[in-house]
C-alpha cells in the first residue's frame, strides 16, 4: 500500500503574505519530500512567508515528516516569516513531544488562533 498525501491551499484571511495549507493523509518517509517541495514552492515561488499548516486531516507523521517541519520552520524564519501548525491530534503531538520539537515549532489549537497570532506579528 502506497501512502498518499493531499495538499490544498487557500489565502490566509487578513494576511497578504500568508497562506493556509491543509494536509490530508500521512507525512512520512515516502511523502515528506513531496510535502517539503510543495511548501518550499509556496515560500519561494508564491512569496508567501507566513504559512499555516492545518493538520486536522493528517493521520500520521513520523520523524522524517517532523524533520521537514523543522527544516521549513528554519527557512521561513530566515525570510522573517512564520511557519505554524494547528489542529494537531494527540498521536502527532506525542511524536512532536518525543522528538523534543515542541519549543521549535509554532503550534496553535486551530486555524483561527494561528491567524490571530500571525496578525499580531
Amino acid at each position: 500500500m502506497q501512502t498518499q498525501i493531499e495538499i490544498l491551499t487557500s489565502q490566509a484571511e487578513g494576511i497578504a503574505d500568508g497562506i493556509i495549507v491543509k494536509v490530508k493523509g500521512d507525512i512520512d518517509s515516502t511523502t515528506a519530500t513531496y510535502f517539503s517541495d510543495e511548501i518550499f514552492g509556496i515560500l519561494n515561488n508564491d512569496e508567501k512567508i507566513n504559512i499555516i499548516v492545518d493538520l486536522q486531516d493528517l493521520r500520521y507523521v513520523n520523524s522524517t515528516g517532523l524533520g521537514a517541519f523543522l527544516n521549513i520552520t528554519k527557512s521561513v524564519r530566515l525570510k522573517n516569516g512564520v511557519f505554524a501548525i494547528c489542529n494537531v491530534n494527540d498521536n502527532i503531538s506525542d511524536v512532536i513531544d518525543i522528538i523534543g520539537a515542541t519549543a521549535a515549532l509554532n503550534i496553535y489549537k486551530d486555524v483561527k488562533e494561528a491567524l490571530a497570532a500571525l496578525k499580531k506579528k
Side-chain angles (χ1 to χ4, degrees):
M1 181 175 110
Q2 184 177 0
T3 306
Q4 294 186 358
I5 186 172
E6 184 179 343
I7 298 174
L8 304 169
T9 61
S10 61
Q11 179 64 40
E13 186 178 322
I15 303 171
D17 59 355
I19 194 162
I20 298 170
V21 178
K22 290 186 65 80
V23 180
K24 184 176 181 178
D26 304 328
I27 301 177
D28 56 22
S29 56
T30 60
T31 59
T33 300
Y34 172 74
F35 173 77
S36 291
D37 289 348
E38 290 294 307
I39 299 299
F40 281 116
I42 291 166
L43 181 64
N44 297 323
N45 299 332
D46 297 343
E47 298 182 359
K48 303 292 185 184
I49 61 168
N50 293 299
I51 301 169
I52 298 171
V53 178
D54 182 350
L55 302 179
Q56 183 172 349
D57 296 324
L58 187 70
R59 294 181 302 231
Y60 172 80
V61 66
N62 69 5
S63 59
T64 305
L66 285 179
F69 287 0
L70 294 169
N71 187 35
I72 293 164
T73 297
K74 181 180 175 183
S75 295
V76 170
R77 284 183 183 155
L78 289 172
K79 292 188 176 222
N80 296 315
V82 175
F83 178 77
I85 60 174
C86 63
N87 288 317
V88 178
N89 70 38
D90 290 340
N91 294 334
I92 295 168
S93 182
D94 289 345
V95 174
I96 292 170
D97 289 341
I98 289 168
I99 291 179
T102 305
L105 295 170
N106 297 300
I107 303 172
Y108 297 96
K109 181 180 87 174
D110 54 28
V111 171
K112 183 178 178 181
E113 185 179 278
L115 281 169
L118 286 180
K119 287 178 183 176
K120 291 179 184 177
K121 113 177 172 87

